[in-house]
Amino acid sequence: MRVIGLAGWSGAGKTTLLTRLIPELGRRGVSVSTLKHAHHAFDLDTPGKDSYAHRQAGAREVLISSERRWALMRELRGEPEAKLGELLGRLSPVDLVIIEGFKRGPHAKIEIYRMANGKPSLHPDDPSIVAVVSDRAFPEAGRPVVALDDIAAVADIALAAAEPLATVLARRHGQE
């Protein structure tokens, strides 16, 4: 497995880009999983469902299964947030894991930058950003800069810059 990240401020278009990038990679025969970081409390379950009632009653983990998918939810119940390395270790093997978020992590990342956000770009202060996908030019970037709609170029960069999982885990272990 290899790992690449997509990093950028909220509203930059990370998810939109990802939903276009995954099919492009699939056309190239690359199997993909994603790992998404959420900054706030989130819920995949809905009130009134049995699995929601199980969690609310205090279950630490709830595994939901059907003929089409299964999902495992774990309540931390005051425990610290899981580290990226731990989360990566829980994924089934694929060719490429794309991490959305964890923008301060040391893994190789592609920055998604949109001028309308009015936020500063991340790449000048982050050597782990290997390329920038943007709606503006960054001639001083010192790394490839491609347009937001050039999905083929983003796929090329993601595949070329992705790091082996063992490398990412070793680097993360040194920081955790």
Side-chain angles (χ1 to χ4, degrees):
M1 284 194 342
R2 296 174 61 78
V3 178
I4 189 73
L6 297 182
W9 299 103
S10 179
K14 297 180 302 292
T15 301
T16 300
L17 180 80
L18 193 54
T19 62
R20 295 180 66 203
L21 180 59
I22 293 169
E24 172 65 22
L25 292 166
R27 283 189 286 279
R28 296 179 186 203
V30 177
S31 60
V32 177
S33 286
T34 63
L35 195 160
K36 165 81 172 118
H37 185 255
H39 292 284
H40 308 289
F42 67 94
D43 212 334
L44 300 175
D45 217 357
T46 55
K49 295 294 184 181
D50 293 346
S51 54
Y52 183 88
H54 298 180
R55 279 191 312 115
Q56 293 304 100
R60 182 174 176 150
E61 291 187 335
V62 177
L63 194 143
I64 307 164
S65 179
S66 75
E67 64 187 34
R68 295 185 182 210
R69 70 187 56 91
W70 66 269
L72 176 64
M73 288 185 293
R74 180 172 187 169
E75 282 295 318
L76 295 177
R77 307 239 182 257
E79 293 177 28
E81 181 178 359
K83 303 287 187 195
L84 179 59
E86 178 186 344
L87 297 170
L88 285 168
R90 292 184 177 271
L91 293 174
S92 297
V94 291
D95 298 324
L96 182 65
V97 176
I98 302 174
I99 300 168
E100 182 183 340
F102 291 95
K103 70 177 166 259
R104 302 287 182 218
H107 56 284
K109 297 180 289 290
I110 298 170
E111 178 180 2
I112 315 306
Y113 178 85
R114 190 175 299 272
M115 281 181 33
N117 262 2
K119 300 274 190 177
S121 58
L122 302 171
H123 68 272
D125 299 320
D126 187 345
S128 66
I129 292 177
V130 298
V132 180
V133 178
S134 181
D135 57 356
R136 69 159 274 210
F138 282 101
E140 73 292 352
R143 61 205 84 193
V145 179
V146 300
L148 285 166
D149 62 350
D150 193 347
I151 302 305
V154 176
D156 290 343
I157 291 167
L159 292 171
E163 302 174 294
L165 177 61
T167 301
V168 173
L169 292 176
R171 189 178 309 122
R172 299 267 340 153
H173 181 61
Q175 290 191 336
E176 296 176 351

